[in-house]
Amino acid sequence: MRIFITGASGWIGTAVTQEVLAAGHEVTGLARNDDSFARLQAAGVTPHRGSLDDLDSMRDAAAASDGVIHLAFKHDFSDMAGAGATERATIQMFGDTLAGSDRPFLFASGVAGLAPGRVVTEDDEVPFGGPDSPRGGAEQLALSFASRGIRPVALRFAPTVHGQGDHGFTSVISGVAQEKGVSGYVGDGSNRWPAVNRADAAKLVALALENAPAGSRVHAVGEEGVSALEIATALGDALGVPTRSIAPDAAAEHFGWIGMFFALDIPASSAKTQASLDWTPTNPGLIDDIESGYYGTK
């Protein structure tokens, strides 16, 4: 198949692209600038110039493809409403373009925030929808395309997709620890974060492209829940700084914008995904990667 991938040059997209190519497919990747264009070309991908703000360009690439993997997202925490509106418009465009074709449409989503305090499973529906919801209500909208002759699949990623070169949440928390001189956790640190190694997540996406049924939700989760205390302790050991509890009412001041996320208890299971797609996470876990020095060393 010829697969169009948005976010193909990003952290997760780079690994996904290599897995899709290794499975024997051709890949066209969205390139928003010259650097992305060159990196995609070097990786054996056909670059397609455009951006999330250029629906016409993406529409052309989707129409010429045998399937779409949509991984790009505007991670602008200063304008989440705008990012959600862009996401919803993009999802709607892909749905209109692929309608009636039975082509696969895989799109990035997440497990965070679906049911704080208990283990989220693939059976849990997103509790919010509509244009004013997080991510513009994209998951509900995209999964509804199953009735339009499309094979939509929600790729629910763990909030921490880790590995060497990661610049996401764990990297930000490490940066705070280095700046403050203390590796903090909120309260007693018992709250849990699911995590997945980038290589395992990429393998799952390639499997879902070929085998996940229409309307399914797959969980890219390698570890159900790593406690904030474990994460902070591992970072403190790696960085050579003390580990300390941060009071909940001081979390925002200490951690900045990421404090509200790091305090959440959001475990998630991937048992049904593993069984249905014969997927077994085999790469190092989050604590192993922290201990390997991927998030800073003494």
Side-chain angles (χ1 to χ4, degrees):
M1 294 188 290
R2 178 184 297 122
I3 305 301
F4 175 49
I5 302 180
T6 72
S9 61
W11 167 242
I12 298 174
T14 299
V16 167
T17 294
Q18 291 308 307
E19 285 288 347
V20 172
L21 288 172
H25 305 297
E26 298 177 20
V27 174
T28 298
L30 186 67
R32 61 180 178 177
N33 54 44
D34 290 342
D35 179 61
S36 295
F37 192 99
R39 283 189 284 126
L40 290 173
Q41 239 178 1
V45 175
T46 301
H48 179 85
R49 290 194 182 274
S51 71
L52 293 180
D53 295 316
D54 188 350
L55 294 181
D56 289 339
S57 177
M58 290 190 292
R59 182 182 293 110
D60 291 343
S65 74
D66 299 309
V68 172
I69 301 176
H70 174 48
L71 301 175
F73 184 75
K74 286 186 174 181
H75 293 284
D76 182 358
F77 291 98
S78 68
D79 184 16
M80 293 305 293
T86 297
E87 178 72 348
R88 189 174 184 87
T90 300
I91 292 288
Q92 186 65 62
M93 176 276 295
F94 282 133
D96 293 341
T97 303
L98 301 176
S101 67
D102 292 321
R103 284 177 281 182
F105 173 43
L106 281 61
F107 60 95
S109 187
V111 297
L114 298 186
R118 69 167 175 83
V119 178
V120 173
T121 76
E122 295 86 343
D123 293 331
D124 285 305
E125 297 183 3
V126 170
F128 35 73
D132 296 326
S133 301
R135 296 185 74 98
E139 182 173 310
Q140 281 192 6
L141 175 62
L143 291 181
S144 73
F145 296 159
S147 64
R148 299 182 63 191
I150 302 172
R151 180 162 64 88
V153 177
L155 302 171
R156 287 180 171 176
F157 291 99
T160 294
V161 182
H162 57 86
Q164 188 171 19
D166 173 23
H167 55 270
F169 281 178
T170 303
S171 179
V172 173
I173 294 168
S174 175
V176 172
Q178 293 175 64
E179 176 189 349
K180 302 287 187 177
V182 60
S183 182
Y185 55 90
V186 180
D188 65 3
S190 64
N191 61 294
R192 298 154 292 175
W193 269 27
V196 66
N197 189 288
R198 181 175 71 146
D200 288 324
K203 181 64 176 179
L204 173 60
V205 175
L207 289 170
L209 174 65
E210 298 183 348
N211 301 309
S216 60
R217 297 177 285 266
V218 302
H219 282 196
V221 174
E223 296 176 280
E224 185 174 289
V226 184
S227 75
L229 176 58
E230 290 178 276
I231 295 170
T233 299
L235 285 171
D237 290 344
L239 298 170
V241 299
T243 302
R244 190 180 76 204
S245 171
I246 305 300
D249 59 3
E253 179 182 356
H254 180 86
F255 291 102
W257 63 268
I258 203 170
M260 72 178 76
F261 297 105
F262 196 38
L264 294 175
D265 184 40
I266 48 175
S269 169
S270 63
K272 294 188 176 182
T273 295
Q274 293 187 45
S276 64
L277 294 178
D278 193 23
W279 173 67
T280 302
T282 59
N283 287 280
L286 175 59
I287 300 303
D288 292 326
D289 276 356
I290 292 174
E291 291 176 345
S292 293
Y294 295 165
Y295 297 92
T297 57
K298 300 177 185 177

